[in-house]
Amino acid sequence: MAAESDPRAFITREIVEALGRPDFDMWHYSREQCVYLLEAMFIELGAVEEFHIERDVLESFLSTVRHNYHETPFHNFHHAFCVAQMVYTIFTTLKDRPDYLNPFEKFAVLIAAIIHDLDHRGLTNTYHINSRSDLAINYNDQSVLENHHCATGFRILARPRCNILQHLSVDQFKKARKIIVSCVLSTDMAKHFTQRAEWTEKVVPNFKADDEGHREFMCRMTLMCADISNEVRPWWVSRPWATNLMEEFFAQSDREKREGLPVLSFMDRDQAQLEAGQVGFIKNILRPLWEGAMMLWPELAPFLASINENLAHWSMFMTHKRSQIMLHIVEKSLKPGVIFNAGDIIVRMGEVSSKMYFLRSGTVEVRAEDMITVFDSMSQGSFFGEIGAWKGVPRTANIVAKTQIEVLIVDKDDVLSLLAPYPAHLRLIEDICAERLEMHQRREQLKKSDLLQFAG
């Protein structure tokens, strides 16, 4: 009889080290493999040895947790793994800070991350409250899901074969439970802004490493950041999660319509705009939270680059999607398109114009003045030419035809007239105009002739 292969054999030292970085790509690993990757985190933290955890008990706990997550599009075991992996990444990044979490606190926070969405069925607190579900009744409409996730986690921990807390003293268990409960309840987004304000206005300015309340808040802040950390990861890792979340939202809104319940517009498949939603989420929720964490932990500052990069991606897609809608609108003017050959310059840096350009077909490139450096490329449906020129701001880059193209060129007054029934798109134009004017004024103040700024 052949010997059974070791299910942990895939874990190399390189993979273990990658677990402590925000660019770890979890899409390469199955749910079963994620169980063993989580086990590796406990081992690397020293928790297995320090808290006398039997390996078979740890594996049983993690496997049982895995099977108590449902196959929802977003709130599934892969999401729990991602949150735990980002918690571990924060631990790794802050490992040299003497005032950060101690080994016991890290142990408790990692458990909280793993159980924080247990038995999630893809329905929000709002749905449970509006539908008067048993869960909402059980928890009196207060952090319904978070209370349920936490209770489910502790029911699993109460099983002897899953109890990784069994060798803690009574006092240690009480402390671990307090941290875990506090952390999981902190992931209720209804509490997000209150907690963020408390952190930035009260904890950070008066931080004391020996203050028990501050230490507990550090635990919560670690999990809160990790819970909404998809856009801290590279684009190719984070992008699928956005689609998955919208799929889950749409399924709930469809159900709410069938049941006659209120539907939130950002969850309604007939109203929601993925790109605009992501831009708003990053700008108003994710980035401010991480920036708040950086106030106390400046070591996290490099993570901001990925956040801003992902924001730039979503902003570009949001603008492109709206420009496609605007192209459809302005085409009603029946203006003939203008044909340009590859290599033709359509917009020249430094000029001022009241024209707006819509790309009907082909591809253009945004280039520096030397015609070599390419900032960006745009294809069918895009508008370009820096409409900030309507405020007298010179163009800041050349637009060059990459292929043979057809461009619809429309005057400012025509555009405004055609878009009058579409206030959202007029606001977009105003926002871009205001942004261009602000950029231009900054350039004038800096007086750096070689400073090129562009956003199509």
Side-chain angles (χ1 to χ4, degrees):
M1 183 175 176
E4 291 186 9
S5 60
D6 182 2
R8 302 172 181 83
F10 73 97
I11 303 179
T12 63
R13 191 65 221 168
E14 183 180 8
I15 289 176
V16 171
E17 291 174 357
L19 281 170
R21 299 196 301 265
D23 61 354
F24 184 84
D25 190 351
M26 44 68 59
W27 297 115
H28 288 307
Y29 303 97
S30 68
R31 283 164 169 72
E32 182 183 7
Q33 288 177 317
C34 287
V35 166
Y36 297 109
L37 291 172
L38 289 170
E39 180 186 70
M41 294 179 207
F42 281 96
I43 294 170
E44 290 298 308
L45 286 175
V48 170
E49 182 177 355
E50 184 164 352
F51 304 112
H52 310 291
I53 305 171
E54 289 88 351
R55 291 284 289 273
D56 61 333
V57 173
L58 178 57
E59 182 180 353
S60 180
F61 166 69
L62 295 172
S63 295
T64 303
V65 165
R66 170 196 162 199
H67 290 295
N68 276 271
Y69 274 93
H70 298 274
E71 293 297 320
T72 59
F74 186 91
H75 291 98
N76 50 45
F77 182 64
H78 257 146
H79 167 66
F81 172 81
C82 278
V83 174
Q85 186 267 323
M86 187 58 72
V87 161
Y88 182 75
T89 295
I90 295 173
F91 291 168
T92 303
T93 305
L94 303 180
K95 65 181 185 301
D96 295 327
R97 287 195 69 96
D99 59 353
Y100 186 56
L101 306 183
N102 60 43
F104 183 86
E105 291 163 333
K106 291 177 181 177
F107 176 48
V109 174
L110 187 57
I111 294 172
I114 292 167
I115 72 169
H116 86 282
D117 271 331
L118 264 175
D119 198 36
H120 200 300
R121 306 296 179 98
L123 299 167
T124 64
N125 280 336
T126 301
Y127 172 83
H128 283 286
I129 293 168
N130 288 340
S131 66
R132 304 175 187 177
S133 71
D134 287 342
L135 282 184
I137 293 170
N138 288 343
Y139 297 111
N140 300 310
D141 296 349
Q142 303 299 308
S143 299
V144 175
L145 287 169
E146 292 73 25
N147 274 297
H148 178 63
H149 303 323
C150 202
T152 303
F154 273 97
R155 288 191 188 99
I156 293 173
L157 284 166
R159 304 176 189 178
R161 65 186 180 87
C162 298
N163 190 0
I164 59 175
L165 305 177
Q166 61 187 311
H167 294 300
L168 299 183
S169 68
V170 173
D171 287 343
Q172 283 179 318
F173 176 82
K174 287 180 179 178
K175 184 175 180 181
R177 177 169 166 78
K178 182 179 179 182
I179 292 172
I180 294 168
V181 171
S182 175
C183 284
V184 175
L185 294 184
S186 74
T187 62
D188 182 354
M189 291 305 295
K191 300 177 179 178
H192 176 88
F193 293 102
T194 301
Q195 292 184 107
R196 194 175 84 197
E198 184 179 352
W199 170 265
T200 57
E201 297 169 13
K202 297 180 180 179
V203 176
V204 173
N206 306 296
F207 178 72
K208 295 180 181 178
D210 58 353
D211 185 301
E212 185 176 344
H214 289 179
R215 299 204 65 81
E216 184 182 308
F217 214 132
M218 283 199 297
C219 295
R220 287 156 51 193
M221 191 65 171
T222 299
L223 182 55
M224 288 169 63
C225 285
D227 189 31
I228 57 171
S229 63
N230 286 330
E231 279 70 31
V232 180
R233 303 175 187 278
W235 173 257
W236 62 88
V237 178
S238 67
R239 175 63 182 86
W241 283 116
T243 302
N244 292 355
L245 183 59
M246 293 310 296
E247 183 182 342
E248 197 169 288
F249 282 170
F250 290 160
Q252 174 175 314
S253 66
D254 291 345
R255 180 171 178 169
E256 287 169 329
K257 290 174 184 177
R258 291 194 302 269
E259 297 176 4
L261 298 173
V263 178
L264 295 171
S265 60
F266 71 87
M267 299 177 71
D268 187 344
R269 69 173 71 248
D270 298 322
Q271 300 183 62
Q273 294 186 13
L274 171 62
E275 299 82 3
Q278 287 296 109
V279 168
F281 181 78
I282 296 172
K283 282 185 174 181
N284 300 317
I285 296 177
L286 187 150
R287 188 169 63 181
L289 182 69
W290 278 82
E291 287 175 336
M294 293 168 198
M295 292 168 64
L296 190 62
W297 305 319
E299 295 88 344
L300 298 177
F303 293 18
L304 195 58
S306 290
I307 296 173
N308 288 332
E309 184 177 339
N310 284 318
L311 175 59
H313 278 301
W314 285 115
S315 297
M316 180 182 70
F317 290 134
M318 179 181 71
T319 300
H320 181 69
K321 184 172 184 179
R322 288 178 174 174
S323 71
Q324 288 180 312
I325 297 172
M326 284 193 278
L327 173 59
H328 178 70
I329 294 168
V330 298
E331 279 187 324
K332 295 177 182 178
S333 66
L334 301 178
K335 287 181 177 292
V338 180
I339 303 297
F340 293 89
N341 294 316
D344 288 348
I345 302 174
I346 300 98
V347 172
R348 189 173 294 278
M349 178 181 170
E351 69 180 19
V352 178
S353 171
S354 63
K355 305 286 187 183
M356 190 169 184
Y357 302 79
F358 292 89
L359 189 57
R360 274 183 168 164
S361 64
T363 305
V364 298
E365 289 183 343
V366 184
R367 297 184 184 177
E369 190 174 17
D370 59 11
M371 304 297 290
I372 297 174
T373 304
V374 177
F375 287 116
D376 199 0
S377 61
M378 294 176 287
S379 57
Q380 183 175 353
S382 299
F383 70 80
F384 60 86
E386 293 205 64
I387 60 177
W390 291 354
K391 290 186 178 292
V393 179
R395 315 291 193 188
T396 56
N398 296 291
I399 309 294
V400 184
K402 185 178 181 181
T403 62
Q404 187 180 71
I405 62 173
E406 181 185 4
V407 181
L408 181 62
I409 303 175
V410 190
D411 288 329
K412 169 187 175 180
D413 291 340
D414 290 339
V415 173
L416 295 179
S417 175
L418 290 165
L419 294 181
Y422 305 92
H425 299 306
L426 285 174
R427 283 197 300 273
L428 173 66
I429 289 176
E430 277 299 316
D431 289 346
I432 295 176
C433 284
E435 181 183 341
R436 295 296 184 278
L437 183 59
E438 183 182 348
M439 284 182 179
H440 178 65
Q441 290 170 340
R442 285 205 304 267
R443 282 195 300 273
E444 290 299 303
Q445 291 170 356
L446 292 172
K447 295 186 182 299
K448 290 184 179 179
S449 60
D450 62 340
L451 179 60
L452 297 178
Q453 299 232 23
F454 176 82

